Amino acid sequence: MVLYKLEDFDPDYRDTIQGDDIKGLGVYTESNNEKIGTVNDVLVDDDGHFRYLIVDLGFWIFGKKVLLPVGRTRIDHGTDRVYAVGMTREQAENLPEFNERLSLDQDYEERVRGVYRQPTYGTQPLDTTTPLDTSTPVETSRTTDTRTTTSTPAFNRDTYKYEQEPSLYQLDEPHHQTLRLYEERLIANKRRQKTGEVAVGKRVETETARVAVPVERERVVIERVTPQDAGKVVSPGEADFREGEVARVEIHEETPDIRKEAVLREEVRVKKVVEQDTVQAEETIRREELDVNAPNLPIEER
């Protein structure tokens, strides 16, 4: 199976992965956070699946590069680190060197896989759900390490599938970053605030009031009349000739007696009422959509 460097496979891969470029990240051991090297590049297969990280061990060995299967990595974008699962610095030094000037064939891949299959590298057993190709005889190759010697089956180069060894090539979801799409939404809450104050008080105003009061006045009317028996002779004792006051008549009149009194005119009741209303509000919200840039490549979304 042909492998490609990431940029050769997709020149615009940085747009596809939305900026989370794995190149340049430091590679560390899980046990003691010891730096192994730096991710130099990524190798992908014909379907664009990550298969190997090319790790530059130049941190302490000048120029040496090795292959790290993606199934043996844990990528932490929060700390910009790649952790080599179950590997020590010494084991990284013993990996077969990757030479970019030489072709990456099945024989070289098998050498790399043979090292990772050793128990000291902590690789899990092969996937028994995918049977090995038994159409051709299975040869036995021995990969020697200074600490252990194991025998591992050699796979048919024409029928080998990466799915046969998930511990080497399957991304373990808890150990890798998930691209999360976020969106904004409007949250409607209410905030009580003072908008004003109503002061209710009293003031005294003056005006001129008018009232009509009917009054009575007395006056003396003197009438002179000629009696019917005018000219009649009266007896000597009847006529009383004298001077002075003859009659006294009292004269009265009414005058207005105006006074003021306070009376209750009205009551003013001050209270608050709550009115219900619906206020329409609008705001621009954002939402992230997945943007996959893989022209003319088979992409499956699930």
Side-chain angles (χ1 to χ4, degrees):
M1 183 174 292
V2 181
L3 295 176
Y4 309 88
K5 286 189 176 181
L6 184 57
E7 193 164 5
D8 295 336
F9 180 82
D10 181 7
D12 300 321
Y13 77 91
R14 291 181 179 84
D15 297 332
T16 305
I17 61 179
Q18 298 188 353
D20 289 335
D21 195 352
I22 194 175
K23 291 184 182 181
L25 298 186
V27 181
Y28 292 79
T29 62
E30 280 193 315
S31 58
N32 54 5
N33 285 323
E34 185 178 14
K35 188 171 184 180
I36 295 176
T38 305
V39 177
N40 176 265
D41 214 322
V42 181
L43 296 179
V44 301
D45 61 16
D46 290 324
D47 297 326
H49 296 144
F50 283 24
R51 294 308 181 190
Y52 297 98
L53 303 185
I54 302 177
V55 180
D56 188 349
L57 305 181
F59 183 74
W60 68 88
I61 301 177
F62 179 75
K64 182 176 181 179
K65 297 177 181 178
V66 297
L67 296 185
L68 178 62
V70 293
R72 303 300 305 275
T73 66
R74 180 170 64 85
I75 304 173
D76 187 350
H77 287 289
T79 58
D80 290 335
R81 287 187 174 188
V82 177
Y83 290 96
V85 178
M87 182 183 295
T88 65
R89 169 177 167 174
E90 290 74 21
Q91 289 173 327
E93 294 177 356
N94 294 327
L95 290 173
E97 182 175 3
F98 173 71
N99 192 336
E100 299 186 31
R101 294 187 297 272
L102 301 178
S103 61
L104 182 61
D105 55 17
Q106 290 286 1
D107 293 336
Y108 175 77
E109 276 197 83
E110 186 58 29
R111 286 180 54 206
V112 174
R113 285 192 288 263
V115 175
Y116 284 104
R117 290 175 187 143
Q118 298 179 32
T120 53
Y121 280 80
T123 302
Q124 299 175 1
L126 301 182
D127 182 9
T128 56
T129 61
T130 305
L132 298 178
D133 183 10
T134 57
S135 60
T136 58
V138 177
E139 300 178 356
T140 301
S141 62
R142 301 179 63 87
T143 304
T144 303
D145 184 90
T146 58
R147 292 154 294 188
T148 183
T149 301
T150 61
S151 295
T152 57
F155 293 85
N156 188 310
R157 61 185 302 163
D158 298 324
T159 60
Y160 179 83
K161 297 181 179 179
Y162 293 110
E163 291 76 10
Q164 292 176 253
E165 296 185 278
S167 59
L168 293 180
Y169 301 107
Q170 179 176 318
L171 292 177
D172 189 4
E173 292 299 333
H175 287 171
H176 293 80
Q177 297 295 312
T178 300
L179 180 63
R180 296 183 177 182
L181 303 180
Y182 297 91
E183 68 178 4
E184 295 177 328
R185 62 179 180 178
L186 295 181
I187 304 298
N189 291 318
K190 295 186 294 184
R191 183 178 67 253
R192 188 178 181 87
Q193 61 182 9
K194 182 178 178 180
T195 58
E197 184 179 78
V198 177
V200 180
K202 297 189 298 182
R203 71 176 185 275
V204 178
E205 295 183 353
T206 61
E207 63 178 352
T208 301
R210 289 179 175 83
V211 62
V213 181
V215 295
E216 293 180 352
R217 293 186 180 91
E218 295 178 345
R219 60 189 177 89
V220 176
V221 179
I222 300 175
E223 294 181 354
R224 292 184 178 186
V225 297
T226 300
Q228 292 181 357
D229 56 351
K232 179 183 176 181
V233 178
V234 296
S235 61
E238 185 178 355
D240 185 10
F241 292 94
R242 60 181 180 177
E243 293 182 356
E245 183 178 350
V246 177
R248 181 181 296 273
V249 179
E250 293 183 351
I251 298 176
H252 300 86
E253 71 174 13
E254 295 176 336
T255 58
D257 183 11
I258 306 299
R259 61 186 179 87
K260 297 184 291 183
E261 62 181 3
V263 297
L264 179 64
R265 180 168 63 92
E266 65 177 337
E267 289 183 348
V268 178
R269 298 176 180 176
V270 180
K271 62 180 182 179
K272 295 189 296 183
V273 295
V274 179
E275 296 181 349
Q276 300 289 340
D277 192 9
T278 301
V279 179
Q280 298 291 337
E282 63 180 23
E283 184 64 52
T284 301
I285 60 176
R286 298 173 297 175
R287 180 177 60 193
E288 295 180 337
E289 295 289 350
L290 187 63
D291 186 10
V292 179
N293 184 6
N296 302 322
L297 296 176
I299 299 297
E300 178 183 356
E301 293 188 11
R302 297 182 178 178

